[in-house]
Structures are given as C-alpha cells and as structure tokens.
Amino acid sequence: MKYLYRIYQLFVALPLGLLATIITAITVMVGCWIGNGHFWGYYPGKWWGWFIVRILLLPVKVEGRENLDSNQSYVFVSNHQGAFDIFLVYGFLNRNFKWMMKRQLRKIPLVGIACEASHQIFVDKRGPSKVRQTYDKAREILREGMSLFVFPEGSRTFTGHMGLFRRGAFMLADDLQLPVVPITINGSFDVMPRMRDGHFVCWHPLSLTIHQPIPPIGKGVENVRQAEEQSYKIIMSGLIPEYQGYVENPDQ
C-alpha cells in the first residue's frame, strides 16, 4: 500500500496540488487587487488547504469549534509540528484570520506575492525598527476585527515535541485585550517531518483541537505571562503521549 500511495502522490496528488496552488495564488492576487483583501486573502486559501489535505486522502478530526464566538477576534496560538499544519489550519479551522509568518516565505514563487497581497504579516527580525513595524502591522489587523494565527515556537519541530514559546503573540493579545485561543495539532509531524521536506507524504490522520479561549486577566506583564504559560500547558496536554514533554529545538 505504501508504494501504491507514492505512485498516487506522484501522478495524481502532486500535479493537482501544484495546479491548485498556482490557481489559488493567482486568485488571491487578482481578488485582493480588485477588492476586499480580507475576503480574498482567506477563502481561496481555505479552499486550497482543504483540497491539499483531501487530495492526499488524509483523515481529519476537528474538535472544539463550539468554543469560538463568531463575533469575537482572537489570537490563535499552536504548536508547529510540520508543513501540513498550514493546510490543516487553513482548510479546517473555519475562521477568517491572518498568518504571522517568517519573512523568508516571501521568496516562495507566487505564494509569497499572494501572501503579501493579502496582507499576511511577515515577521522581520532585521533590527528593532523592523520588529516594531511587524507588530504595528499586526495591531492594525487586529484592530480591524480580524483574528491572527501564530506559531509561537517560531519554527517547526525537529522531533514532534514542543519547543519554547516566544512572547510576541501574547504581548499583542495583551495590548488589545483579546482572548488567546490555544490549538493543538497532532499528526502533521508524522505526515511529513521537517527532516523529510520534499519527500513523499506518509499517510497519517490529522487532528486539530481548539481549546477554550483564555481571557485577559488585566493588562501588563502578569497577563502576558499567564496567557503564555496557560497556552503552553493546554497545548501540551492535547498532544498524543509520544510527543508530550519539552524537547529543545536546535534553531530556536
């Protein structure tokens, strides 16, 4: 079955996935140029993420959507198991949001331009002024009523275990007094671990667990700390036992 699945990937899933990526990127660019960037910056990507997961025949389980209020903006924070986190979140979270992503992703042909056109937030760490600009843009997006999705580890895991969290997302939530929503991703590391980028996908179920929002308890350092610590514990508790426990990530 493994080799049949690889043949299917090579001759069916890969060509269709590449075509879907090109169509989605062009649709986002043209749509954002014509009109509503919040609409065109999300819905084509949602379709794309859903399609990539489905064309690869990966089962998905989502729990906790009932925990979200449709009229509330959130800062979503999640563990970062692998490349398929993107498809899983985009396709199955069912919330309009902006990504906070690495600046280097801007270099991906078509996709990087589409992300820029749709006002996704590129994290630029090339000096204090660039960092301030990144967070100023994030504040603007959140003030417009959008939600934000952040991987606070800053990079994908090498082991399936969680690394340390950075505080930027929690500081933004504190600044605008928004709830933080912890999300646990399981399965993405088994589908394609970071060490196997560009290799065949391994069939494995994916799951997305949306935990209860963490409301602010005030404003300032204490609120930031409690949101960060609670999020870490909650996300960790949702991981399968094999990947529970802290393991240092070499590039953190």
Side-chain angles (χ1 to χ4, degrees):
M1 285 299 292
K2 179 175 78 171
Y3 294 105
L4 282 175
Y5 187 46
R6 288 184 174 182
I7 292 168
Y8 170 80
Q9 288 180 53
L10 196 59
F11 292 104
V12 179
L14 179 60
L16 290 176
L18 287 173
L19 181 61
T21 300
I22 293 168
I23 291 172
T24 301
I26 293 172
T27 302
V28 169
M29 288 186 284
V30 173
C32 290
W33 178 67
I34 292 173
N36 188 340
H38 291 334
F39 177 89
W40 292 104
Y42 171 68
Y43 286 98
K46 172 181 167 58
W47 170 85
W48 170 72
W50 181 91
F51 181 78
I52 295 295
V53 171
R54 293 308 189 198
I55 198 67
L56 285 163
L57 312 177
L58 301 172
V60 174
K61 180 180 180 181
V62 181
E63 295 180 304
R65 285 202 190 108
E66 69 278 3
N67 292 328
L68 302 179
D69 181 346
S70 59
N71 298 313
Q72 173 69 55
S73 295
Y74 297 105
V75 175
F76 295 100
V77 295
S78 171
N79 60 313
H80 202 0
Q81 281 208 333
F84 273 75
D85 298 345
I86 307 300
F87 307 127
L88 180 63
V89 170
Y90 236 158
F92 297 90
L93 180 60
N94 287 3
R95 290 286 301 209
N96 197 335
F97 65 89
K98 300 294 183 186
W99 292 101
M100 185 172 274
M101 58 180 66
K102 286 184 174 181
R103 175 178 57 87
Q104 291 85 341
L105 297 176
R106 172 62 180 79
K107 298 176 183 178
I108 300 175
L110 281 179
V111 173
I113 299 172
C115 288
E116 187 171 30
S118 59
H119 308 295
Q120 310 302 328
I121 301 161
F122 293 99
V123 179
D124 195 333
K125 300 176 183 176
R126 295 174 298 174
S129 63
K130 296 289 187 183
V131 172
R132 280 196 298 273
Q133 288 174 20
T134 296
Y135 285 99
D136 286 345
K137 183 176 180 181
R139 287 187 189 93
E140 277 181 43
I141 293 295
L142 289 166
R143 286 194 183 103
E144 291 173 3
M146 292 293 295
S147 293
L148 185 67
F149 199 102
V150 185
F151 295 113
E153 291 167 274
S155 57
R156 289 173 290 158
T157 176
F158 280 98
T159 63
H161 295 260
M162 282 168 57
L164 298 173
F165 278 3
R166 296 171 180 174
R167 289 197 169 178
F170 306 100
M171 292 170 69
L172 281 169
D174 173 67
D175 186 30
L176 297 175
Q177 291 292 278
L178 292 175
V180 173
V181 179
I183 290 180
T184 302
I185 291 172
N186 278 298
S188 180
F189 182 78
D190 300 285
V191 169
M192 184 176 283
R194 185 172 179 178
M195 308 80 69
R196 295 183 67 256
D197 281 351
H199 289 67
F200 285 103
V201 169
C202 296
W203 188 93
H204 194 280
L206 294 165
S207 74
L208 188 74
T209 304
I210 305 163
H211 301 282
Q212 287 278 357
I214 302 171
I217 58 168
K219 193 167 187 179
V221 175
E222 188 59 35
N223 183 47
V224 173
R225 184 183 297 115
Q226 74 91 27
E228 179 187 1
E229 290 177 354
Q230 281 194 41
S231 295
Y232 194 90
K233 290 177 184 175
I234 290 168
I235 294 170
M236 180 74 78
S237 71
L239 288 170
I240 63 172
E242 180 182 356
Y243 296 128
Q244 288 194 0
Y246 165 74
V247 174
E248 183 179 4
N249 260 336
D251 62 346
Q252 274 205 322

